[in-house]
Amino acid sequence: MSARPDAGHIAYLAVNGAILSFLLAPIAIITVFALNPTPYISFPPVGISLRWFEKFFSSPEFMGALWLSLQVAVVVLVLSMVIGGLCALALARGNIPGSRVLTAFFMSPLMLPAILTGLALFQLYLLMDIGRPVWGLIMGHTLVAVPYVLRTTLAVLHNFDRRIEEAAAVHGASPARVFFEVTLPLIRPGVFAGGIFAFIVSFDQFPISLFLVMPQGETLPVVLFNYMKFDLDGAIAAASMVSILMAVSVVVILEKVIGLKSYVKL
């Protein structure tokens, strides 16, 4: 006799399916819009066309913004992994007085609306008379990206067995060798997981970029925002699909290089 399905299990699957459908519905709409040959959304679609992707990739403005966003996101990725990883090690291992307060302080950019952070940085740069250089934009993005690396690295360090490091030191390994050959490989999952978030947050960052970019050096989200003021066609959806595919590509690369199973415990 086959067991009857549990009502609670069915309800659990139904709720999760509804939540997943709600989260994926915007992506489905954007996909239809990007592939639709007409300059407006129509259901059912009247056909499939790549004209909006051609418009996006043939536009010097879009390509310049995409290249700038990629450059900034890569630099932010590296800076966030270095700064966030070292801060996490210091907070978890340094026996620093008030480490919990410092952790909350470093995580505070996530508590503030990004538009207020962007406005504050814009005012600070004006007071310092440094204008709006690209490195200022990178610093702004790094400010909100570091907490992601810090949080995921601290999660790994929370369950870190320090006896492994002690065993390496007892067998004659120098502190530098212990760090690079024992500590760093073991905390790598947390650092890389936070790095993924840092890259995505930087690439899609709009509020901070809105205040810190130059008129002739705008990131992709700002260019799309200005584009929608005067036109709204499938090029916007095509740009959104490119952003989504880039985020997915980062995850796929991580799976090939390290393996996503390393991040399950996070």
Side-chain angles (χ1 to χ4, degrees), residues 180-248:
F180 285 106
E181 296 188 11
V182 178
T183 306
L184 192 57
L186 290 176
I187 67 172
R188 185 177 62 177
V191 175
F192 273 77
I196 292 175
F197 288 113
F199 179 88
I200 295 173
V201 166
S202 174
F203 186 81
D204 292 332
Q205 184 61 240
F206 171 72
I208 293 178
S209 300
L210 183 64
F211 286 98
L212 301 183
V213 295
M214 294 292 291
Q216 301 302 322
E218 298 173 336
T219 58
L220 184 59
V222 177
V223 169
L224 293 178
F225 174 75
N226 293 329
Y227 184 85
M228 287 189 295
K229 292 181 181 178
F230 308 101
D231 200 357
L232 183 61
D233 55 29
I236 300 295
S240 301
M241 287 301 301
V242 170
S243 299
I244 293 171
L245 291 175
M246 289 193 62
V248 173

Side-chain angles (χ1 to χ4, degrees), residues 137-213:
L137 176 65
I138 292 173
M139 291 299 101
H141 284 199
T142 303
L143 180 66
V144 297
V146 165
Y148 292 95
V149 181
L150 178 66
R151 183 70 272 172
T152 53
T153 307
L154 285 175
V156 173
L157 288 170
H158 179 72
N159 297 318
F160 191 94
D161 189 355
R162 298 198 63 177
R163 291 176 296 181
I164 302 176
E165 294 175 321
E166 295 172 356
V170 167
H171 285 81
S174 64
R177 187 173 183 182
V178 170
F179 175 77
F180 285 106
E181 296 188 11
V182 178
T183 306
L184 192 57
L186 290 176
I187 67 172
R188 185 177 62 177
V191 175
F192 273 77
I196 292 175
F197 288 113
F199 179 88
I200 295 173
V201 166
S202 174
F203 186 81
D204 292 332
Q205 184 61 240
F206 171 72
I208 293 178
S209 300
L210 183 64
F211 286 98
L212 301 183
V213 295

Side-chain angles (χ1 to χ4, degrees), residues 95-119:
N95 296 321
I96 302 174
S99 59
R100 291 187 178 181
V101 176
L102 289 175
T103 301
F105 173 76
F106 284 120
M107 298 294 296
S108 61
L110 298 182
M111 312 299 176
L112 298 174
I115 193 168
L116 295 182
T117 303
L119 178 60

Side-chain angles (χ1 to χ4, degrees), residues 78-98:
V78 175
L79 289 176
S80 299
M81 290 172 62
V82 173
I83 297 173
L86 293 178
C87 287
L89 282 171
L91 292 172
R93 301 286 187 79
N95 296 321
I96 302 174

